[in-house]
Amino acid sequence: MSNYEELRKSMGANQYVLPIGLRNEDGTVCRVVTMRPMTGKTEEILTDNKNRENPIRALIDVIADVVVSIEGVPRVTRDVIRQLDAKDLEFLLVANYLTSFDDEFSFVSKHVDCKGKNEVVVDLKARLDEVKPLEDEQQRELTFDLPRGYTDRDGQLHKTITIVPPTAFVQEQTYKQLRINSASAVSKLLTLVTKQLGTITHPNPDVFKEMTKKDRTFITKQLEELYDYGVDLKVDLVCSSCGEEYTDVIPTTGLLGE
């Protein structure tokens, strides 16, 4: 049995173990979260006009409201939640639904091709039981070579890149940019998740604006394929209208009771 599973078995009511967790300055990882059900105050947060413009901001504010404590963290604030790995934020959304509503979650999935509507019921408790935790700290970053690389103004080629997982803060900032320009949002994402490119430490957005589309796409695919831990929000379905198999994702707004 892994350390993660041992920790999970010792949890009390409304307590959960984050699949990744926050790392303290002394190297300890803070994973144990205590939550409370959503209240009228939480509903007011959801209906705030500022949050309606940026759903990621709403998710962060709601989680900051319903998380009572994170063991090892003096005080849970919005800034603390923004530091969480994006996979931890997804995990807490599922945990919030379990704490505030029920073990099962239902939604209507629309098949993109035939437009058929399918009723879906998901056992969220089972999803949390099957969470894939981050056991190896080395997975917090990934180094690889780009297909083409970036050539700077001095003619030096930079091909080796090191990326880190996106946080809730990165998601919030990227969504904000997405409302302006989708390509610009990709540049913002790549800037925030890149630790180093060749000899360039924390490259600025202009670097990624000048990077080839092939390299940009390669990095985003690496992000998707590498960080497969956390709670699985994907659902494999068979369309009741056309019989075709397809995959959908549990809607995060629904997990907030909307």
Side-chain angles (χ1 to χ4, degrees), residues 151-165:
T151 303
D152 63 25
R153 293 179 181 179
D154 296 326
Q156 182 177 353
L157 178 65
H158 304 268
K159 288 196 72 171
T160 303
I161 187 170
T162 299
I163 58 175
V164 296

Side-chain angles (χ1 to χ4, degrees), residues 38-96:
M38 296 171 70
T39 63
K41 178 186 173 185
T42 322
E43 285 188 272
E44 289 182 12
I45 291 172
L46 283 171
T47 54
D48 188 306
N49 288 332
K50 292 182 296 184
N51 287 337
R52 286 194 174 278
E53 293 173 3
N54 188 332
I56 306 300
R57 179 190 175 99
L59 299 184
I60 291 170
D61 285 353
V62 165
I63 296 303
D65 182 62
V66 297
V67 171
V68 177
S69 65
I70 301 176
E71 190 175 290
V73 177
R75 181 167 168 263
V76 177
T77 64
R78 188 177 193 279
D79 285 339
V80 167
I81 300 302
R82 290 169 96 200
Q83 293 173 41
L84 289 174
D85 188 295
K87 294 291 185 178
D88 275 342
L89 186 65
E90 288 180 352
F91 175 91
L92 288 173
L93 284 172
V94 175
N96 169 66

Side-chain angles (χ1 to χ4, degrees), residues 94 97-98 101-109 118-130 231-237 248-251 255:
V94 175
Y97 193 89
L98 288 171
F101 302 106
D102 200 356
D103 289 359
E104 291 187 339
F105 172 72
S106 60
F107 69 99
V108 176
S109 171
N118 301 278
E119 293 281 346
V120 184
V121 178
V122 183
D123 185 341
L124 294 181
K125 189 175 183 303
R127 292 284 169 134
L128 288 196
D129 288 340
E130 297 166 358
V231 60
D232 187 7
L233 297 182
K234 297 189 295 296
V235 185
D236 294 325
L237 302 167
D248 204 348
V249 179
I250 299 171
L255 294 173

Side-chain angles (χ1 to χ4, degrees), residues 2-6 8 17-21 31 87-88 91 128-137 139 228-231:
S2 67
N3 292 334
Y4 183 83
E5 289 301 319
E6 288 181 0
R8 279 189 69 244
V17 185
L18 295 173
I20 298 90
R31 273 182 161 173
K87 294 291 185 178
D88 275 342
F91 175 91
L128 288 196
D129 288 340
E130 297 166 358
V131 161
K132 182 179 178 182
L134 181 74
E135 298 283 11
D136 184 359
E137 288 298 314
Q139 285 183 263
D228 63 345
Y229 45 77
V231 60

